[in-house]
Amino acid sequence: MAVYNYDVVVIGTGPAGESAAVNAAKHGKRVAVIEAQSSVGGNCTHKGTIPSKALRHAVKQIIEFNTNRMFRDIGEPRWFSFPKVLERSRRTIEQQVEMRTRFYARNRIDVFFGTARFKDEHTVLVRDAHEGTEELHAEKVVIATGSRPYRPADVNFRHPRIYCSDTILGLSHTPRTLIIYGAGVIGSEYASIFSGLGVKVDLIDTRDRLLSFLDNEISDALSYHLRNNGVLVRHNEEYERIEGDESGVVVHLKSGKKLRADAFLWANGRTGNTDSLGLENIGLQANGRGQLTVDDQYRTELDHVYAVGDVIGWPSLASAAYDQGRFASANLLGEEFKFVNEVPTGIYTIPEISSVGRGESELTEARIPYEVGQAFFKDTARAQITGDTVGMLKILFHRDTLEILGIHCFGDQASEIVHIGQAIMQQQGEANTLKYFVNTTFNYPTMAEAYRVAAMNGLNRLF
């Protein structure tokens, strides 16, 4: 058995693991990473963010082609199969893997492919696909193993028509009807994707409103547009049992309803990838969701073992994971770092959603005197040009100080637009003010111009 010594060993090559490893290597540390899959990138690249967002972009292009009057001069609306659209996302995955492989090579980081398991507090064993084992000794260890879909034992995921958000990427046909159980971010995104392909979707929500962490108005807008695109949203429902047969799947709900569809997608919760790490060998224990608890320096109960990304739970976003990995790496190197506690939300439904800061209900509950500035995309020149007129930008600001308290956006490019407001919100003192958007000249026509429109709208509400 080969034995290697490193300053830092990182388990996982998703956004959190990659940033932790690269940052340590750039500070002169000898670094190794361990990846359970056959190529780098982690679940983000192979099963989650990249394939689903590439898939979503392709579907959005199809919708545009089939609804834009100009394209009628080319031909009639076209139908595209799910496997055909999925093929486009695979090209993006290949590009991502190639790029990220170069990162490790350029920074002289050793990459081990196989399953990682702790032997003791400073030793990690790596077992490859051929049952070979290598032993890595490390001064510091970063656990960045990510998460996977939670799969309850009473659902038969071996059935060919029952999928989770990982296995749906291997769907080899286009179902006419689909039941999605779980109306969180992943469920809502896939509801948009499949409805965009003409699939009739039943979206089962175990709660009383979609994405309740969002500002209520944005949540309501998402509900409306999903329904407008043919998605039937069923709130406050839970399954009793799920039965698959040769032609489809029947979902029995506790309310007594029975739903039938060609296929079923489970999108209700995720579990941290910690069960095979041998945590018992180092005295650590994951919670019921397979997640590790860390302090505000991303350290576990062992000072030299850190955990970052989805494996520690909230916010379970690739963007946050990348920063968490970099900051954890900075901490173990004795460098300046910060704890990630406020990140923008990006939800890639069709249209997409993004927000940062507090919503109206939070501000009302806290008795903060706020006002609202709105800009509707249908009234902006850029949206009229592109045809993406659905959506709005909403700015919440303090009535007295004009401090920006929240930015909420629904519509095309929402995840890009929100960063302008985020940048101003991060300014200290009087620099965080609604007046910035009134006194700054924006390019015309642009989507960013919505900030000026919304700011003027908000100021007009003051008296």
Side-chain angles (χ1 to χ4, degrees):
M1 179 171 60
V3 179
Y4 304 88
N5 291 288
Y6 293 96
D7 298 312
V8 181
V9 167
V10 180
I11 307 175
T13 63
E18 177 187 296
S19 60
V22 171
N23 188 62
K26 288 186 180 297
H27 285 79
K29 300 299 181 182
R30 189 171 185 224
V31 182
V33 296
I34 304 169
E35 174 54 54
Q37 300 185 73
S38 59
S39 55
V40 299
N43 288 338
C44 173
T45 296
H46 296 279
K47 299 177 181 179
T49 302
I50 297 302
S52 65
K53 275 51 178 181
L55 181 63
R56 180 248 186 210
H57 178 71
V59 171
K60 186 174 181 295
Q61 289 180 310
I62 292 170
I63 293 173
E64 182 179 0
F65 177 84
N66 285 336
T67 57
N68 192 314
R69 294 180 181 178
M70 184 181 70
F71 291 132
R72 296 290 66 76
D73 294 335
I74 300 174
E76 293 303 311
R78 304 295 177 87
W79 180 83
F80 291 81
S81 69
F82 182 81
K84 181 71 173 178
V85 178
L86 191 62
E87 185 62 33
R88 176 64 184 86
S89 70
R90 294 196 179 102
R91 297 174 197 161
T92 306
I93 293 172
E94 292 168 1
Q95 292 173 325
Q96 286 282 310
V97 169
E98 181 181 351
M99 177 185 69
R100 300 189 183 288
T101 301
R102 288 199 302 269
F103 291 165
Y104 294 110
R106 188 168 62 217
N107 289 282
R108 299 181 180 180
I109 298 171
D110 293 339
V111 181
F112 293 84
F113 292 103
T115 303
R117 184 176 181 83
F118 283 99
K119 178 181 179 182
D120 57 48
E121 292 184 0
H122 287 278
T123 307
V124 181
L125 301 177
V126 184
R127 183 181 296 275
D128 63 27
H130 306 289
E131 299 300 317
T133 302
E134 294 171 298
E135 188 173 293
L136 312 185
H137 291 275
E139 291 297 317
K140 308 281 188 179
V141 179
V142 180
I143 300 173
T145 47
S147 65
R148 64 182 183 275
Y150 166 68
R151 292 164 61 138
D154 61 348
V155 178
N156 180 18
F157 288 96
R158 294 187 302 275
H159 191 279
R161 291 179 179 268
I162 296 177
Y163 301 87
C164 68
S165 57
D166 280 358
T167 58
I168 195 70
L169 296 171
L171 181 65
S172 59
H173 68 286
T174 307
R176 293 173 300 168
T177 56
L178 174 70
I179 297 170
I180 300 178
Y181 189 87
V185 172
I186 294 173
S188 296
E189 289 180 348
Y190 273 110
S192 286
I193 289 170
F194 278 100
S195 64
L197 289 173
V199 178
K200 292 186 178 298
V201 177
D202 276 271
L203 179 61
I204 302 175
D205 186 8
T206 59
R207 302 181 180 181
D208 59 359
R209 66 182 301 117
L210 289 180
L211 305 180
S212 56
F213 59 87
L214 292 175
D215 181 85
N216 288 347
E217 190 171 10
I218 302 299
S219 173
D220 291 342
L222 174 62
S223 296
Y224 170 80
H225 285 284
L226 283 177
R227 290 190 173 98
N228 193 50
N229 291 328
V231 177
L232 179 56
V233 184
R234 300 177 184 270
H235 293 294
N236 296 314
E237 297 280 10
E238 293 184 16
Y239 79 95
E240 185 174 89
R241 68 183 187 277
I242 298 166
E243 300 173 337
D245 54 36
E246 293 182 358
S247 60
V249 180
V250 177
V251 177
H252 299 260
L253 299 175
K254 290 183 178 180
S255 63
K257 300 183 184 73
K258 286 198 300 185
L259 310 179
R260 183 176 183 84
D262 296 336
F264 174 87
L265 169 60
W266 177 274
N268 197 41
R270 296 186 68 82
T271 300
N273 293 323
T274 54
D275 49 321
S276 63
L277 284 176
L279 295 177
E280 65 277 5
N281 296 331
I282 60 173
L284 292 181
Q285 185 175 0
N287 65 18
R289 284 184 166 268
Q291 298 165 348
L292 292 171
T293 300
V294 296
D295 62 15
D296 60 3
Q297 299 179 56
Y298 297 105
R299 293 180 305 189
T300 64
E301 295 173 23
L302 299 176
D303 286 349
H304 71 286
V305 177
Y306 293 71
V308 288
D310 282 15
V311 78
I312 66 172
W314 185 92
S316 296
L317 295 171
S319 55
Y322 192 90
D323 285 340
Q324 289 171 343
R326 181 163 56 92
F327 294 146
S329 181
N331 176 258
L332 65 84
L333 294 168
E335 302 284 333
E336 184 179 349
F337 77 101
K338 75 169 190 174
F339 188 79
V340 179
N341 56 12
E342 184 171 313
V343 295
T345 297
I347 302 170
Y348 295 87
T349 47
I350 303 174
E352 65 190 62
I353 299 169
S354 194
S355 64
V356 64
R358 287 178 282 184
E360 289 199 59
S361 60
E362 293 175 88
L363 295 172
T364 300
E365 186 176 345
R367 297 184 180 276
I368 296 174
Y370 73 92
E371 195 47 87
V372 182
Q374 296 176 319
F376 294 95
F377 290 175
K378 64 182 178 62
D379 299 323
T380 63
R382 183 61 176 266
Q384 292 168 357
I385 291 169
T386 64
D388 293 305
T389 55
V390 170
M392 64 175 291
L393 172 68
K394 179 160 75 169
I395 304 175
L396 305 181
F397 62 96
H398 197 286
R399 283 188 59 91
D400 301 325
T401 66
L402 302 186
E403 174 190 0
I404 299 170
L405 304 171
I407 303 288
H408 305 274
C409 191
F410 177 76
D412 187 51
Q413 301 181 55
S415 58
E416 302 282 356
I417 294 169
V418 75
H419 290 132
I420 299 172
Q422 180 192 25
I424 303 305
M425 286 180 65
Q426 293 296 315
Q427 304 306 306
Q428 299 298 315
E430 295 182 358
N432 176 5
T433 174
L434 191 72
K435 290 182 179 178
Y436 173 84
F437 301 119
V438 177
N439 298 329
T440 298
T441 301
F442 289 88
N443 280 334
Y444 177 86
T446 60
M447 296 305 295
E449 182 202 6
Y451 276 99
R452 178 183 59 79
V453 176
M456 294 296 294
N457 175 265
L459 290 176
N460 288 337
R461 295 179 190 275
L462 299 178
F463 56 87

